[in-house]
Structure formats: C-alpha cells, structure tokens
Amino acid sequence: MTQPATTIAVALTRMTTDPWLRAFREGFAAIGLPVDVLPFTGTALRARFAIVWLPPEDLFKVERDLQVVFNLGAGVEGLLAMPGLPAQLPVVRLVDAGMAPKMAEYVCFHLARLTRGLDRFGGAQGTPDWNVDRPRGAPPTVGVMGLGAIGSVIAQAAVRFDYPVVGWSRTPRAIEGVRAYAGAAGLDEFLAATRILVDALPLTSDTANLLDRARLQRLPRGAHLINVGRGGTIVDDDLLAALDAGELGSAVLDVFRTEPLPENHPFWRHPRVTVTPHLSGPTPRRPAVRQIVDAIVRLQHGERVQDLPGWVDRARGY
Ligand code: GLV
C-alpha cells in the first residue's frame, strides 16, 4: 500500500517562492519521500509541516493541523513575535546551513578594508601615491559577540587571518584561538579588549538594546562596529551619538530594527556608516533544503522535534 503524501505548506515573504518550491520538491523526490510541497495562498492545505519566512498572519489560523514550523532562516525573532503563532507549536530554525561562511567572508572583507585603509583606493578617491602606509603593527583585536553556529565561524575566520580574537556569549564557549568571555560578568572586559566589534547576536529579550551608549563607551575610543546579527541589539540613537562624539570610528550595518531601512533613516547618509541591505548571509538553497528535508525524515522516523538541530527553545528565544 502506498503511503499517503504528507502536505507541506510553504509561506514566504521577501523571498521568491517558486525556486524554493522546486528545490524542496526535488529534495524530497531525491530520497523518495511522498510529500506534497504546496504554496500557502490563504486557503487550508491541511498541512502537517510549514516552511516559512515572515509568513502571513493567517497561516496559523488557517492551517490547524501543523505539527512543526520550519523557519527558512537562522533568526526567529520575527516568527516568535507573531501573535497568531500557537504557543505549543514547535519551531525549528536553520543552523548555519551555508550562511556562516558567507557571513565570515563579509566580515573579513570589512576587516581588510578597515585595517588596510582600502577605502583610499579606487574610484574618485583613488590615490596616485604608491608609497602609502602599509599596516605593519599588531592587528587590532576583533571581538565577536554571539558564538553560536555563525559567530563561531566568523571568529575562526578572523583567527585564520591572524587577528587576535576575543568572543562573548551568553554561556561559556570554547573556540580554539579565541579568548572567550561569557555572561553579564564578562561583557565589560570583553568590550574593553575589542577594537573591531562584530555583532552576531540573535535578537532575544536578553540581547535587545544590549549595545547602548554606556556599553559602546566601554570599547576603546575609535573602535569600529560591524553588525551582522540583528538591528535591535543596538540602540540606533546611541550608536549615532557615539559616532558623532568620535567614540566610535565607524559602523558597518547589515541589519536594522526596521527592514527595509526607512529611506529617511540617518544611517543611510551618515559619513561613517556603511549600510548594506541585509545581504551578509543569504540562505543558500541547497544546504537549507537539505537541512529541512533531513529534519522531516527524522521526524517521520519518530525522532523528537526537541532533538533536531535548530529546535527553538521558545523561552530562550533562539
Ligand atoms: C537572516 O537574517 C536569517 O535569520 O537567516
């Protein structure tokens, strides 16, 4: 007897649905799992699983049989904040899934730009001086906040390029070559040791507004900031004030409390802010599909959702 197909609803905004539908259908077909992967368009599909990115609010009203929702990204704060998300519905997020190396590349590009003064070259600013200063001293210490699947890869990449690296996380983490600090008790010391701060934090009730003026002032004067985590971990006005007061040298921001970043936001035009439109870690299709297909196979084999990589502890927020 053939098994009835399991229905999976795909509900994505700010991502194009069709290529994902194709990729998931191919992913399930490749392992011979009978699955119907269908776009959610507002009418009930009686789906058992949903694959979502910032889904429409009515998804959870309409799909009443959902057993697990898969977030097609690493950050779940948007999904968890949805009032319609049933309290008991398990959420599973992507863990690295190919994002981490791309984010490490993005960060290392900015490390090279900042530490070697690469902005002096190219385009209208191009300098004809062959004998410009080359940095020959000790490289500045890079401090990575958030040492999970993404932050740890960023920290390791900076180690590979010979930067002294310190790291900060909620609970202690050991990463080779990284001097690690943890918890509230370690934060001031971590910041004081950091010249280039890389924010790779998830947004949770613990990390919201964590980097306010007082904390930014713990950094050595002229330190730089690169934010690839979440905009809500930094207080925008405090960041602008720290830049204007010369406490911070510059900021590279890829994530914002409101996305898209509103056109009139001062970050767009600030001379010492580089804005990129949340592109440091695009979700690569193949590893993302593989991770979700594997998870569904494991569930079909009776594994507990809590044992899957990326199961979200709703109390912890990630
Ligand atoms: C991107 O920001 C993600 O959360 O995957």
Side-chain angles (χ1 to χ4, degrees):
M1 216 173 72
T2 50
Q3 245 184 305
T6 301
T7 300
I8 301 180
V10 177
L12 312 175
T13 59
R14 300 212 205 133
M15 285 194 198
T16 323
T17 302
D18 282 348
W20 284 106
L21 287 176
R22 273 197 300 279
F24 278 108
R25 285 173 185 153
E26 281 165 20
F28 286 109
I31 54 160
L33 201 69
V35 156
D36 284 332
V37 184
L38 301 172
F40 174 75
T41 55
T43 41
L45 301 167
R46 312 232 25 211
R48 185 156 152 222
F49 303 116
I51 298 170
V52 307
W53 181 253
L54 305 173
E57 285 281 345
D58 63 344
L59 173 72
F60 302 108
K61 272 201 222 108
V62 174
E63 292 301 330
R64 313 294 289 193
D65 300 332
L66 289 177
Q67 290 176 7
V68 179
V69 53
F70 291 91
N71 188 59
L72 199 50
V76 284
E77 77 290 344
L79 179 60
L80 298 191
M82 288 180 60
L85 179 73
Q88 304 308 325
L89 181 60
V91 173
V92 176
R93 65 187 181 86
L94 292 181
V95 181
D96 175 355
M99 276 176 259
K102 296 318 285 178
M103 294 175 76
E105 177 192 53
Y106 175 99
V107 168
C108 289
F109 164 80
H110 287 291
L111 293 180
R113 193 177 64 76
L114 288 165
T115 58
R116 306 208 208 169
L118 297 184
D119 290 340
R120 293 171 294 178
F121 308 101
Q125 286 109 49
T127 166
D129 182 2
W130 193 260
N131 297 314
V132 289
D133 265 357
R134 274 90 168 140
R136 301 192 200 268
T141 298
V142 174
V144 181
M145 292 187 91
L147 296 175
I150 289 167
S152 60
V153 173
I154 294 173
Q156 282 161 338
V159 169
R160 287 286 297 270
F161 286 118
D162 269 346
Y163 290 90
V165 180
V166 294
W168 182 84
S169 49
R170 193 178 60 93
T171 50
R173 299 272 173 139
I175 299 173
E176 207 182 324
V178 176
R179 183 146 47 92
Y181 299 85
L187 187 51
D188 282 355
E189 211 183 317
F190 161 81
L191 291 170
T194 293
R195 291 209 58 96
I196 302 181
L197 179 64
V198 180
D199 179 343
L201 290 167
L203 184 61
T204 69
S205 53
D206 288 333
T207 64
N209 303 319
L210 185 64
L211 291 173
D212 58 8
R213 186 76 186 270
R215 295 222 169 83
L216 292 172
Q217 281 172 336
R218 301 272 175 207
L219 293 163
R221 195 173 172 82
H224 300 277
L225 167 74
I226 301 172
N227 189 7
V228 291
R230 282 294 185 256
T233 60
I234 303 179
V235 181
D236 289 6
D237 287 344
D238 288 5
L239 171 55
L240 287 165
L243 285 163
D244 291 338
E247 293 158 13
L248 268 188
S250 72
V252 172
L253 307 175
D254 187 52
V255 285
F256 306 92
R257 17 193 90 230
T258 306
E259 294 186 2
L261 181 65
E263 240 172 74
N264 60 356
H265 196 290
F267 286 158
W268 279 118
R269 273 164 285 277
H270 196 287
R272 278 179 295 131
V273 175
T274 301
V275 168
T276 57
H278 199 145
L279 49 63
S280 78
T283 312
R285 231 181 294 278
R286 200 184 277 260
V289 167
R290 195 175 317 125
Q291 203 167 100
I292 293 177
V293 169
D294 283 354
I296 289 178
V297 169
R298 286 169 64 168
L299 291 171
Q300 305 279 48
H301 283 100
E303 269 193 61
R304 294 175 347 136
V305 66
Q306 295 90 326
D307 296 333
L308 295 178
W311 172 72
V312 173
D313 177 343
R314 302 272 289 260
R316 197 180 63 167
Y318 65 97

